[in-house]
Amino acid sequence: MNDSNGAYGGIFFSGLSLPIGMVVLVWMGVLFLLCQPIWSRRQLSSAEQAIQRQGMVDVETLGAGIRVSLMYGRADNFTGKVLYSDITRAYLHPKAAEALVKAQHILKKSHPRWSLVVYDAARPMSVQQKMWNEVKNTPQSIYVSNPARGGGLHNYGMAVDISICDEHGDTITMGTKIDYMGTASHIDREEQLVKLGRLTREQVRHRQLLRQVMQAAGFRTLRTEWWHFNFISRATARKYYQVIK
């Protein structure tokens, strides 16, 4: 009888009788979905877990559509080496993260198809040391903060290296690549660089747009790097916040 099959060969769900094997599969699927956030956390490296324990937030979880392309997770940076072998996400202090979301909204109002793209954010001091080792005792040392002097605001999750990309994810022209160490990256030399033919007016306008949206959200510029923005001062960071080791 159907009643017998329902009692011993299946389980009723809203008037439907399902085989026990199917019910088990359904419950396994439900449990998997419920445990998905836990599973995702288990995929974090020990370095990323340490960063999260310090209260840093993953930029891609902010829900603002900000893109991430970590340049130190690849070898095409000024060191020629992969420095983030165990970091695959961009993290920021919550205060800086909130301001970054604001900057993204400001950009979207004037350029709906464009987006901010993060190339570096929170940076462990151990990585800062590797960078410093590449440039110490060279003219390029002015572009990297010395760990022996407390490092920089990346090491507190309070700085971001950033640009703008189009709807296809391609960065708009800024005149130099991210982390280029030379005067063409200096924001106080742009007019002179245009006159010399090293920058175009379009490239300067793009840089100005980036500065406008970032400053409107509370970030501060860095004279020597068009892509770098600080959220607080070094003095404030060293007084109130902890270094990411």
Side-chain angles (χ1 to χ4, degrees):
M1 296 174 61
N2 288 338
D3 287 346
S4 175
N5 290 336
Y8 297 101
I11 296 177
F12 282 99
F13 283 90
S14 301
L16 296 176
S17 178
L18 298 177
I20 291 177
M22 184 176 294
V23 172
V24 171
L25 289 175
V26 170
W27 276 112
M28 287 177 65
V30 171
L31 289 173
F32 177 81
L33 292 174
L34 291 174
C35 294
Q36 188 63 31
I38 297 175
W39 176 260
S40 298
R41 286 197 293 272
R42 288 176 181 169
Q43 302 308 301
L44 295 177
S45 67
S46 58
E48 290 179 316
Q49 290 176 31
I51 290 173
Q52 286 197 351
R53 282 196 298 270
Q54 284 193 236
M56 304 296 156
V57 298
D58 182 349
V59 169
E60 289 186 292
T61 66
L62 300 176
I66 300 168
R67 294 177 180 256
V68 173
S69 179
L70 291 181
M71 61 182 171
Y72 298 117
R74 308 183 300 271
D76 59 336
N77 58 70
F78 79 92
T79 71
K81 304 172 184 177
V82 175
L83 300 180
Y84 287 163
S85 58
D86 53 357
I87 298 175
T88 60
R89 299 163 176 83
Y91 294 93
L92 283 174
H93 187 281
K95 291 182 179 180
E98 181 181 359
L100 189 62
V101 170
K102 182 178 179 181
Q104 172 81 337
H105 291 330
I106 293 170
L107 174 63
K108 287 289 187 180
K109 285 182 180 179
S110 60
H111 296 77
R113 295 185 177 181
W114 288 1
S115 175
L116 295 176
V117 53
V118 174
Y119 286 92
D120 197 28
R123 179 190 304 160
M125 191 65 82
S126 58
V127 175
Q128 189 71 30
Q129 184 65 55
K130 292 178 182 179
M131 293 181 177
W132 176 250
N133 292 342
E134 294 287 330
V135 300
K136 64 181 179 181
N137 302 320
T138 73
Q140 284 72 44
S141 63
I142 66 170
Y143 298 100
V144 179
S145 297
N146 187 347
R149 298 178 181 175
L153 288 170
H154 279 294
N155 307 127
Y156 295 87
M158 288 292 193
V160 63
D161 291 338
I162 199 163
S163 188
I164 297 173
C165 65
D166 62 20
E167 66 269 31
H168 305 294
D170 298 321
T171 51
I172 63 175
T173 178
M174 295 287 190
T176 74
K177 63 173 290 185
I178 294 282
D179 89 347
Y180 174 78
M181 295 181 176
T183 55
S185 296
H186 296 205
I187 65 176
D188 60 346
R189 300 285 296 276
E190 289 170 349
E191 286 302 317
Q192 180 183 2
L193 291 166
V194 169
K195 292 177 182 179
L196 293 173
R198 295 184 63 187
L199 289 181
T200 66
R201 285 292 176 191
E202 180 187 33
Q203 290 165 346
V204 172
R205 285 196 300 270
H206 290 169
R207 291 186 182 191
Q208 290 172 338
L209 173 63
L210 180 61
R211 291 199 291 268
Q212 287 168 5
V213 299
M214 294 298 284
Q215 288 178 307
F219 286 92
R220 309 174 186 186
T221 60
L222 184 65
R223 181 185 65 83
T224 56
E225 299 175 359
W226 61 260
W227 59 84
H228 180 103
F229 294 87
N230 295 324
F231 188 64
I232 58 176
S233 68
R234 291 193 190 193
T236 300
R238 291 170 185 172
K239 185 175 181 180
Y240 297 106
Y241 301 96
Q242 292 184 331
V243 164
I244 302 168
K245 296 180 180 180

